[in-house]
Amino acid sequence: MVRVAFIHPDLGIGGAERLVVDAGLALKSCGHEVHYFTSHHEKSHCFEETRNGTLDVTCVGDWLPRHCFGYFYAFWAYIRMIYVSFYLIFVSSWRMDVIFCDQVSVCIPVLKLSKARIVFYCHYPDMLLTHRKGFFKKMYRALLDSLEEVTTGMADIILVNSNFTAETFVSTFTSLRNQRPRVLYPSLNFSTFDTTPSGESDDLFPPSAKFVFLSINRYERKKNLKLALEALNWLKNLVNDEEWKGVHLIMAGGYDDRVVENKEHYLELRKLADQYNLISKVTFLRSFSDSQKLNLLNCCTCLLYTPSHEHFGIVPIEAMYMKRPVIAVNSGGPLETVQDEVTGFLCDPDAESFAVAMQKFMKDPSLSSTMGEAGKENVIKQFSFEVFSQHLNSIVCCLYLLEFDAYPLD
């Protein structure tokens, strides 16, 4: 048995959070002991496993600010993670053999003060996720970027979520080219998706809707959610009036009242839908429940996945396991998960390409079930919880045994 401490900035709801929760569940299923340390854990906005006692969570440092008057978000995220790390090493009585850290690497020097081995999971280089407008912003980010690269290289092993992210990592962190990361694909815990949908989503679209297109992503501008609305507007010109009557789009997204961008972008999307005269054709859903998501995936025609250069993207995997095809942008993670014209369509990131793909499901309704079956088979083969568990278990065990010089990691 290996004792593994997970350290994560905010145990809310998102792809990164889903991965670290699944990682803990995977290690527990292999007989290891796990405990989470975070600076924010809100019981009304988190995954069920972190709320119901399945996974032990300690939250410290939530009194620290998240920003200064709307600025320095990254700086305070670093401070919060450093505080959690000091608590774990010097205050907590929990003793660990391995520490699993993700998103923020600047706390690794503190974690190295323990005897535990460090796993750093790089979802994507943070330095690529921000703009640098103005001299002071460039200077500020230059310091943070340097810290990110140096501290990331201090981990005993670096994991990434896709080959796309691995290539980006190598080209971004030029000083770490000798530390090529390993790919650990996120997975699905199939049992979560094998439950019968509860029917909570029955009123989210009109009964007359024959073709229900579903978008699931956080209300963030980088997710390019407006593409779904633009595609729907374009589709209106490709189909006849009778077909159009049966079309409906559901935009379900992660939403947090504390995040200004979530609020702003939600209103921007509603305004855009109004401009296109699509309000009656679109349902906007914020912070949906797990049972609602299952129901939506169960009843939709296909999933629209709009981000470009997405690092991995767990939602297409969820949709395919639920036997739903995916229309996604032909870049980033979906290139490794969606098989073009087999489990869905990979399209250019423009309204016309998406609308043409959407129309194919309307012309041939059987295409949804055919591609859906192929998608589920692909997910079971490549992204099962068992495969993920075995891979992560071997990494953790090798790190633990390396502590005692049993044998080299490779």
Side-chain angles (χ1 to χ4, degrees), residues 322-342:
M322 293 292 289
K323 299 184 180 180
R324 290 297 174 264
V326 179
I327 300 175
V329 175
N330 56 358
S331 66
L335 291 175
E336 300 174 45
T337 58
V338 180
Q339 297 173 305
D340 191 30
E341 298 188 359
V342 178

Side-chain angles (χ1 to χ4, degrees), residues 301-315:
T301 301
C302 77
L303 176 81
L304 305 182
Y305 198 67
T306 55
S308 292
H309 307 294
E310 184 72 352
H311 323 148
F312 178 76
I314 194 64
V315 176

